[in-house]
Amino acid sequence: MTCSTSCSGLHVSSAIGWGQLRHSHRGLAAAVAARPRRRLRLPTLAGPAPADEPLQPGEGGSDLLVPQPKKPSKLEPSFWLSREDALEAQLKALQHNDFPAHDSGIEALYRFAAFDPFARTSYFGVNLDLGQFERFRRIFYTPYYVTLLNLSAWEVTSSLEVSERLWVARVHVQNSYRKEERDYQFTMERRLGGRYDGVWYCAKLLAEGCTAQSLYGVI
C-alpha cells in the first residue's frame, strides 16, 4: 500500500514537471520570434562598420562595394591612362630606355602594342612577324627608329580623332646625343570588349621616310 502510494505520487509529480517544461519552451520560442531581424553591415571606405541595425522592409544588398581596377605595378596599358597619357608613357619609356634595365623602354612599347603575336602585323607599316620580342626590339635599332632610343625631347605637332576608338598623333622627336630629328606617327586604338575594354593601345608606329626595304631582312 505504501509502495503504490509513493509510486503514484512520483507519477503525478513527473507529469506536472514535464507540463511546466513544455510551457516554458513555448514561451521562449514566442519571445525569439518576436525579436526584430538584424544584419551585420559590411565596412565601407568611409570608415569602420556601423553597429548592428534592424533590417528594414525593402532593403537589399546595397552595402556591397563595387570592385575597382587596380593600378598596375609596371608601365603597361591600364584603365587609368587616357590616350594622351598612354602616348606620353611610351615616349617617356623610350627617353629612359635603359632604365631600370637595358631596353626596358622597348619592353614597355611591346606591352602597349596592339597586335596578335601569333599573326603577322603591319605595326611598323610593313607586314612583319613580330611575335617574338627580339624581332620587335631589332626594329628600334634600324636607322629610322633608333632616334627614339634615349630621346632628348618630343612634341606633339598635330593629332586627329578618327573615331571614338581611334586617335592619330604626329610627334616630332629630337635626339641630342645622336644629333638627329625625326617625325613619327602613333596610332592609338581603344580596345572594345573583353577584359581590357576601354584601354588604349598603340596600333601603329610609323617613322617618316621608312620603307619596306629599310626593314626587310632586319628580323
Side-chain angles (χ1 to χ4, degrees):
M1 184 67 179
T2 304
C3 179
S4 62
T5 302
S6 72
C7 290
S8 63
L10 179 62
H11 175 73
V12 171
S13 62
S14 300
I16 294 174
W18 282 108
Q20 293 176 345
L21 184 61
R22 287 195 299 270
H23 178 73
S24 63
H25 282 179
R26 286 195 296 270
L28 180 61
V32 171
R35 292 180 60 186
R37 292 181 298 163
R38 294 178 178 271
R39 66 173 175 194
L40 180 63
R41 289 183 179 272
L42 296 177
T44 63
L45 294 179
D52 293 352
E53 298 178 0
L55 183 64
Q56 300 298 326
E59 290 188 347
S62 59
D63 296 328
L64 296 178
L65 296 177
V66 178
Q68 297 293 329
K70 296 182 179 180
K71 289 187 177 181
S73 57
K74 59 183 178 180
L75 184 57
E76 61 183 6
S78 73
F79 300 93
W80 305 95
L81 298 177
S82 64
R83 61 192 186 186
E84 292 84 1
D85 293 335
L87 174 61
E88 183 179 358
Q90 295 176 85
L91 291 169
K92 284 185 176 180
L94 292 171
Q95 186 177 24
H96 306 282
N97 180 58
D98 296 324
F99 180 83
H102 180 63
D103 286 340
S104 59
I106 302 178
E107 291 180 7
L109 260 73
Y110 192 69
R111 290 191 290 268
F112 273 94
F115 59 78
D116 184 359
F118 299 101
R120 298 180 71 88
T121 176
S122 58
Y123 177 86
F124 292 108
V126 181
N127 193 19
L128 299 171
D129 180 7
L130 301 176
Q132 298 179 5
F133 170 71
E134 179 59 24
R135 296 181 176 183
F136 183 84
R137 187 189 71 86
R138 289 179 184 176
I139 298 296
F140 284 91
Y141 283 92
T142 59
Y144 289 94
Y145 285 91
V146 73
T147 310
L148 288 168
L149 302 183
N150 302 303
L151 60 90
S152 305
W154 76 83
E155 179 185 2
V156 178
T157 56
S158 63
S159 63
L160 174 64
E161 184 177 6
V162 181
S163 66
E164 293 183 356
R165 297 181 49 246
L166 203 62
W167 182 64
V168 181
R170 187 176 181 86
V171 182
H172 182 72
V173 172
Q174 299 177 0
N175 191 319
S176 58
Y177 176 77
R178 303 183 62 86
K179 298 180 180 180
E180 295 178 354
E181 296 184 12
R182 196 174 298 277
D183 290 327
Y184 296 90
Q185 179 177 299
F186 287 79
T187 301
M188 304 299 297
E189 183 180 41
R190 195 173 192 177
R191 185 160 295 183
L192 180 62
R195 179 181 178 184
Y196 298 100
D197 179 55
V199 178
W200 286 96
Y201 288 80
C202 184
K204 284 188 177 183
L205 173 54
L206 307 179
E208 183 183 27
C210 184
T211 62
Q213 289 75 16
S214 304
L215 299 181
Y216 281 146
V218 176
I219 60 176

